[in-house]
Amino acid sequence: MSHQLNEQELERRKALQELIDLGIEPYPAEGFEVNAGTQEILDNYNPDAKNYQQVQIAGRLMTKRIMGKASFAVLQDARGKIQLYISRDDICPTEDKTLYNTVFKRLLDIGDFIGVNGYVFTTQTGEITLHVTGLKLLSKSLKPLPIVKTEKDGTVHDAVADPEFKYRQRYVDLTINPAVKNVFIKRSQLIGSMRRFMTEQGYLEVETPVLQPIYGGAAARPFKTHHNALDTVFYMRIANELYLKRLIAGGFDGVFEFAKDFRNEGMSRFHNPEFTMLEVYVAYKDYQWMMDFTEAMLERAAQDLHGTTQLPVGEHIIDFKRPWKRFTMYEAIEHFTGIDISEMDEAALLNVCKQLHIETDKSMARGKLIDEIFGTKCEPYLIQPTFITDYPVEMSPLAKKHRSKPGLVERFEAICNGKEICNAFSELNDPIDQRKRFEDQLELGRRGDIEAMMLDEDFLRALEYGMPPTAGLGIGIDRLCMIMTNQPSIQDVLFFPQMKPEKFD
RNA sequence: GAUUCCGUAGCUCAGUAGGUAGAGCACAUCCCUUUUAAGGAUGGGGUCCUGGGUUCGAGCCCCAGCGGAAUCACCA
């Protein structure tokens, strides 16, 4: 404890000592049995039924309004808050009024955890309230809690406006801003809904290595680390694709993993260095089937979270109801630019980029150029969930060649609110073709593409033993969650978004 | 990485031709009330992000740094 304590912190430490002097343990070890919740009481209390007459609840003291021999307070627990009515002679039936006069009125502070028991009633002003007959301190708070400010016109502002404060001290943000807590409950429900959907199909939830000697499965720069005993470089995974496909080769017919991936890149509203990706692989299926699967899973997730498929997202209402629109990538580009690029070579595409004012550089081959055109001229305008299919082979080294369209692969992305939310293909299971694609990646790397993939010999060996035809899907859970909870920034759907380490002096 | 903006009390925010640092909430002491979104009085609390510079004098102007945000770049 090297920092200077401010006045209010000193005051609370003084109160702490006074409590100890009174023989009150400020951090009791034993549990406190709770038999109701605040929100549950508000929802179900019925004055005629006389229910909730022996209630025991616990939580944080959020306000205190002292009015002499009787006081009001607000107790907040995990799901809500309820008013407490505390009368001196009820909690101090004997001559000794210390518990009320000293402990409650003076030594308890906003933010303290307390346990209370009593009976529920309705006050003259009609507010459902717990009439407290017993009170116990469960944990003393030593720092003042910011209080939500309500303007005279009724608008409520977050008690903490500084984003840095919110993200670094999420525990405070969660305590004082209930809407924040709700976002994370929704996030958990989202993952739960998707997990249930996949488990019901009989797919197996698995875990694969985070530390990988060869990173793969995506185009991205990795974090590098070191194993002491092996004296070996490991990379934090950028994707788990190649491991999950090994499992399909091993005989599972459906596997999935909610995986933390790590990419050593810039940070922004849409990028956190570590993020969560769902990957699913299903044997004997193709990308057409996977589109149906994706729609069904996300339609149901929206329904599970909100009871409807239509969600407000920023300025828009986004509808996850099936079926979603489907365009090929060439169709989408032609639709938004009026240019048919399907037959163009690299030189012609460079011209198109120039014409559309898209910057290019020497490392960009045909696939990358097409991706640039799509990324700037199409993607931002696709608001409703839309499948874009049939990508150029150059930008999809792990996808199977299109069954009928030369130069393309069987791949789709779903775009929603102007951003990619998932990526999927008929997985490449031809080991000869896969080796060639890896070699093409190595060539791209030599050309200066720092995100080109490494060649993974073990993965090729698995394909040589044989992998059934397989459909694979990856969904960025954080970005999906931003849409599903209408949050503008990835930091708002991560409890602890990555930030520069805080300095304590 | 580039550009722009922000950093003042525990929290939210004012502030100024460049002239002794403010409000609300919170906190403390007291009064009043005793089933309410209390009322009143008094008071304490600041490295105005840090370090330089200009100036008689800087929270304010200039430079650099730190931290954050937005936009862009990067990012399948």
Side-chain angles (χ1 to χ4, degrees):
Chain A
M1 186 62 58
S2 56
H3 71 280
Q4 294 272 318
L5 296 177
N6 66 42
E7 183 197 17
Q8 294 188 43
E9 290 172 322
L10 289 169
E11 202 60 48
R12 286 179 181 228
R13 277 173 162 74
K14 240 169 67 190
L16 177 77
Q17 189 56 51
E18 282 192 54
L19 287 162
I20 292 169
D21 293 344
L22 283 170
I24 295 171
E25 169 58 59
Y27 302 101
E30 68 272 16
F32 183 85
E33 195 176 325
V34 167
N35 66 9
T38 57
Q39 191 58 47
E40 174 205 338
I41 292 170
L42 296 184
D43 290 343
N44 300 319
Y45 172 64
N46 179 346
D48 300 324
K50 290 233 168 195
N51 54 353
Y52 294 113
Q53 297 304 292
Q54 291 199 316
V55 165
Q56 187 139 272
I57 58 177
R60 262 194 215 267
L61 190 61
M62 295 306 279
T63 70
K64 236 169 64 173
R65 295 191 296 280
I66 292 168
M67 358 241 319
K69 281 183 284 188
S71 300
F72 290 93
V74 169
L75 183 83
Q76 172 173 291
D77 66 8
R79 283 176 198 77
K81 44 181 87 168
I82 193 168
Q83 175 167 270
L84 307 178
Y85 171 72
I86 300 170
S87 119
R88 187 190 68 187
D89 296 333
D90 283 333
I91 62 166
C92 303
T94 67
E95 285 304 302
D96 180 7
K97 305 301 182 191
T98 309
L99 179 61
Y100 183 77
N101 286 339
T102 307
V103 176
F104 173 73
K105 277 170 68 173
R106 223 160 49 70
L107 302 180
L108 288 191
D109 290 297
I110 291 174
D112 289 353
F113 283 91
I114 59 171
V116 292
N117 52 57
Y119 58 90
V120 179
F121 75 111
T122 309
T123 64
Q124 286 176 0
T125 55
E127 182 162 355
I128 296 172
T129 299
L130 181 74
H131 188 128
V132 173
T133 53
L135 179 148
K136 185 184 183 194
L137 175 62
L138 299 179
S139 179
K140 181 77 190 141
S141 163
L142 296 182
K143 285 178 84 66
L145 208 52
I147 299 300
V148 174
K149 188 179 180 183
T150 308
E151 298 287 343
K152 280 179 184 155
D153 63 15
T155 54
V156 180
H157 300 286
D158 279 0
V160 176
D162 176 8
E164 185 179 357
F165 189 125
K166 291 166 68 74
Y167 301 145
R168 288 198 195 277
Q169 302 186 48
R170 185 67 91 180
Y171 34 88
V172 175
D173 193 27
L174 288 165
T175 298
I176 60 187
N177 295 316
V180 171
K181 192 186 265 178
N182 195 41
V183 168
F184 291 98
I185 292 171
K186 285 269 185 283
R187 180 183 174 118
S188 176
Q189 290 171 346
L190 171 66
I191 292 171
S193 169
M194 296 170 82
R195 173 176 284 127
R196 230 174 299 125
F197 184 88
M198 290 180 289
T199 304
E200 281 167 12
Q201 318 279 319
Y203 305 150
L204 190 71
E205 182 164 15
V206 300
E207 294 170 274
T208 62
V210 173
L211 293 177
Q212 303 180 350
I214 293 173
Y215 62 93
R221 279 185 286 169
F223 286 91
K224 205 170 173 179
T225 186
H226 180 263
H227 188 283
N228 289 340
L230 296 176
D231 190 18
T232 301
V233 168
F234 279 98
Y235 300 96
M236 310 285 282
R237 71 176 164 203
I238 57 172
N240 54 357
E241 169 156 356
L242 303 185
Y243 283 93
L244 293 183
K245 286 199 270 199
R246 284 170 171 95
L247 297 182
I248 296 294
F252 292 106
D253 57 5
V255 292
F256 67 93
E257 180 175 15
F258 288 94
K260 265 290 180 72
D261 290 340
F262 305 83
R263 298 189 184 175
N264 206 340
E265 292 160 352
M267 292 160 63
S268 78
R269 200 151 74 80
F270 295 100
H271 301 84
N272 197 64
E274 59 181 287
F275 62 100
T276 304
M277 172 95 95
L278 165 69
E279 295 201 32
V280 200
Y281 294 83
V282 182
Y284 312 113
K285 304 294 187 191
D286 64 8
Y287 80 134
Q288 293 290 341
W289 176 91
M290 190 56 95
M291 275 190 267
D292 298 340
F293 176 91
T294 304
E295 286 179 331
M297 181 162 62
L298 296 188
E299 180 192 65
R300 177 157 139 193
Q303 191 74 39
D304 283 352
L305 261 64
H306 299 282
T308 170
T309 58
Q310 299 185 350
L311 318 178
V313 180
E315 310 281 289
H316 306 101
I317 299 289
I318 290 181
D319 194 347
F320 280 91
K321 184 151 193 61
R322 287 179 287 172
W324 302 353
K325 281 190 194 131
R326 300 182 184 191
F327 291 120
T328 68
M329 174 164 268
Y330 291 157
E331 283 168 358
I333 289 174
E334 189 167 359
H335 179 259
F336 284 101
T337 67
I339 302 169
D340 176 7
I341 61 160
S342 56
E343 305 294 323
M344 290 186 183
D345 60 12
E346 195 169 312
L349 283 167
L350 273 168
N351 263 327
V352 170
C353 284
K354 203 168 288 176
Q355 188 186 330
L356 297 172
H357 309 291
I358 294 168
E359 282 188 30
T360 56
D361 68 65
K362 278 187 294 237
S363 77
M364 293 164 79
R366 186 168 182 279
K368 193 86 177 164
L369 292 170
I370 293 172
D371 187 46
E372 279 299 313
I373 296 170
F374 179 78
T376 44
K377 295 297 166 187
C378 309
E379 197 173 66
Y381 307 104
L382 292 166
I383 302 302
Q384 297 301 324
T386 305
F387 288 117
I388 302 297
T389 65
D390 301 347
Y391 284 62
V393 62
E394 299 90 333
M395 51 195 285
S396 313
L398 302 170
K400 187 177 275 198
K401 276 180 185 150
H402 197 283
R403 64 195 73 182
S404 61
K405 300 174 183 170
L408 300 182
V409 290
E410 298 206 345
R411 168 178 174 184
F412 72 83
E413 289 189 1
I415 315 292
C416 180
N417 204 31
K419 282 273 167 189
E420 174 205 341
I421 55 169
C422 73
N423 182 20
F425 16 93
S426 301
E427 301 295 336
L428 178 54
N429 61 348
D430 172 347
I432 309 292
D433 190 5
Q434 183 66 78
R435 180 174 294 277
K436 183 173 174 308
R437 305 276 196 99
F438 274 140
E439 282 164 356
D440 291 345
Q441 286 292 306
L442 296 179
E443 175 55 31
L444 280 182
R446 281 190 284 272
R447 244 171 104 160
D449 186 344
I450 48 179
E451 293 173 350
M453 288 182 192
M454 298 171 83
L455 189 150
D456 188 333
E457 281 292 354
D458 176 71
F459 174 66
L460 288 171
R461 181 165 60 192
L463 292 190
E464 284 167 12
Y465 278 107
M467 181 178 87
T470 298
L473 167 70
I475 298 185
I477 293 296
D478 310 285
R479 288 188 188 172
L480 178 63
C481 189
M482 286 166 64
I483 291 170
M484 290 277 182
T485 60
N486 191 16
Q487 294 299 309
S489 165
I490 198 168
Q491 294 170 308
D492 295 317
V493 299
L494 298 168
F495 274 128
F496 304 106
Q498 201 56 250
M499 304 186 86
K500 283 200 183 177
E502 189 175 359
K503 283 189 187 122
F504 293 91
D505 38 36

